[in-house]
Structure formats: C-alpha cells, structure tokens
Amino acid sequence: WLYIFTGHVFLFPPGLAFCYSIINGPTNATVLAGSEARFNCTVSEGWVILIWLSNGSPVLSISSSQGPFETSGRFTSQNYTDSNGFTSELIIHNTQLSDSGKIECSVQQANSKFAFLSVQVNGSLAIKNNTLTVKENETIEIVCEALGWAPAPDIAWMANDSFIDKSKYVTQHSQGSNGLHNALSILTLTLTDTEILTCLADIEALPNPQNTTITCIFVNSTLENAYSEDSRSTWVIVLAVVLSLVGIILLIIIIVVVVRCCCLKKK
C-alpha cells in the first residue's frame, strides 16, 4: 500500500491491512473559541499510519516508525502506548469558528471513527444603567443587550436570587454580518421593594452563565410625601428663626443709631 500525506510517502505491506482496528474513536467536544480542543483515538497493534482529518482535510499524520508529521502549529499531538494499544491525542490550539465540524481518526484500510467539534463564542453582556430609582406603582423596563455570540445565547432574568417568570420579559435575536448572534431582552416589572435584577446569558461551552446586574431602588410615595412635608416644615422653622434674628439685629442697629444721634444733638 502507498500513502502520501503532505509530501511524505508511506509504504507498508498489504498483509498488515487487517491486523489492526480502531478500539476507541474520538468523542464530541464543545469548546470556547480561543481555547484548546482535544480528541483521542486508540488503535490496536499492527497499525502503520494514523491520519487526523478536520472537515475532510488532513491536518496531522502519525507514522508508527517515524512519529507525527504536523502541517500546522495549531494541530499537534501527544501519543501514549499501553497494554490497550496506541493512543493518539489530537490537540487543536486557539480554536476558531471555522474548526467546527467533523473530526476524523483514520487508519489505513480500517474503518475510520469520527466525532464533532462545536466551537462557540462568548460575547458581551450589558445593562445600560447600574442603578435605577423606582416609585410606587411605576412600571419599568430594563434592557439587557448581548452582542457577538455564537450560537445565540439563552437569556434569563433573576430578581435577587430567584428566577423571573419568562412571561415578564421578551427576547429578540438577530445575526450580524460577521455570522455572530445578538440578543436584546426587555424585562417589564412593577416593583414593591428594592431589588437587584440580574440578566444572564448562557451557551453550552460556558461553565457558568455570564451575568450583569442593576440595582432598582424602590421609593414609597407615602414616605416620600411625608419626607417632603417634614422638609417643608423644617424650612419654615429655619426661615422663621432667621427672620427673627434679622429683626432683632435691625432693632439693635436702629436703637444704636437713635442714641448716637441724640448724643450729637446735645453736644
């Protein structure tokens, strides 16, 4: 048999073609863009060349006699041999959206085994304001914006530590020209107390949802009116005291002037 891979020619006897098999093939993986993806393929003794393919294109080959032949620095391998056979671990560095798809382990004349790689993008998440003052019986709308995600994120809301019913918010999704997804979620609430509202965005590759919060400060109208009346009363008292002091000072000045005038006339 003759195999050619990236300029390398491999020759091995046809009698070896049925002396080996793929014991364990790769398994599906979901990773964040920019991170590593790893796939394992274990073959029995007798293999000559193992080839890794990404979406049908060879990216790395390993010869039993010469070791690995790498075509790109983003695709490397680690190899292990034990009593179960030979294991090749394909490592994809700095994963990109274009890496998503079929990852295949192929050994000459043996059935190939494959898995699927899903590369996802963790975008941005923001609520425009950090704090908001809310009055009694006032209905508010809080807008949460997620930009540059792949796939489109699942959006949820929490009030303090409890999830808010989905009927309270509406989420719209759109796709940008770069193939990434955006989401706009609008939460509508009438608060009865001060609460911390949290917007969460989640995709499979994230260990925990990304989140952003806003503090809604509730102001009771009755208390606010009472405070206003107290403030007005306080200002009236302060003004009365000030006017009284001004009147006393003016009276003293008048008396001093009159006395001084009388003294001047006598002289």
Side-chain angles (χ1 to χ4, degrees), residues 16-250:
L16 294 175
F18 303 99
C19 297
Y20 45 80
S21 63
I22 298 177
I23 301 172
N24 290 310
T27 57
N28 296 341
T30 300
V31 300
L32 287 174
S35 63
E36 289 184 353
R38 293 173 177 260
F39 297 90
N40 288 332
C41 184
T42 301
V43 296
S44 60
E45 292 184 4
W47 69 282
V48 176
I49 180 172
L50 183 151
I51 300 176
W52 284 101
L53 302 96
S54 174
N55 290 318
S57 298
V59 293
L60 187 143
S61 68
I62 303 168
S63 166
S64 60
S65 59
Q66 302 177 54
F69 295 89
E70 299 174 357
T71 61
S72 167
R74 288 205 311 116
F75 298 89
T76 64
S77 67
Q78 292 182 352
N79 305 316
Y80 315 91
T81 301
D82 55 26
S83 58
N84 294 324
F86 172 82
T87 298
S88 172
E89 182 178 41
L90 173 69
I91 306 171
I92 306 175
H93 303 269
N94 188 27
T95 53
Q96 303 168 7
L97 275 177
S98 57
D99 294 324
S100 296
K102 187 177 181 181
I103 303 297
E104 187 174 1
C105 169
S106 176
V107 181
Q108 73 285 354
Q109 299 303 307
N111 293 328
S112 63
K113 296 291 181 73
F114 62 87
F116 290 95
L117 170 62
S118 174
V119 179
Q120 302 186 345
V121 178
N122 180 19
S124 65
L125 186 70
I127 296 175
K128 293 183 179 179
N129 300 321
N130 293 325
T131 59
L132 181 67
T133 300
V134 183
K135 296 182 180 180
E136 188 177 8
N137 298 323
E138 180 183 4
T139 299
I140 60 170
E141 287 188 349
I142 309 295
V143 179
C144 180
E145 190 173 33
L147 299 176
W149 293 71
D154 294 322
I155 303 294
W157 287 86
M158 295 182 71
N160 297 330
D161 294 324
S162 301
F163 281 99
I164 297 175
D165 189 271
K166 292 183 178 180
S167 62
K168 301 292 185 181
Y169 56 89
V170 176
T171 302
Q172 301 172 343
H173 293 93
S174 61
Q175 189 170 2
S177 57
N178 56 2
L180 299 178
H181 298 265
N182 305 321
L184 189 70
S185 186
I186 303 174
L187 172 67
T188 305
L189 282 178
T190 302
L191 301 183
T192 58
D193 199 358
T194 296
E195 291 187 1
I196 297 176
L197 302 177
T198 304
C199 175
L200 303 99
D202 193 25
I203 53 178
E204 183 183 351
L206 281 177
N208 296 297
Q210 188 180 157
N211 67 82
T212 182
T213 62
I214 180 173
T215 301
C216 295
I217 301 173
F218 178 76
V219 179
N220 189 297
S221 299
T222 303
L223 294 176
E224 186 179 24
N225 292 335
Y227 175 77
S228 299
E229 291 177 0
D230 290 342
S231 298
R232 284 195 294 269
S233 299
T234 301
W235 277 108
V236 169
I237 294 172
V238 170
L239 184 61
V241 171
V242 171
L243 290 176
S244 299
L245 290 174
V246 171
I248 293 172
I249 292 171
L250 287 175

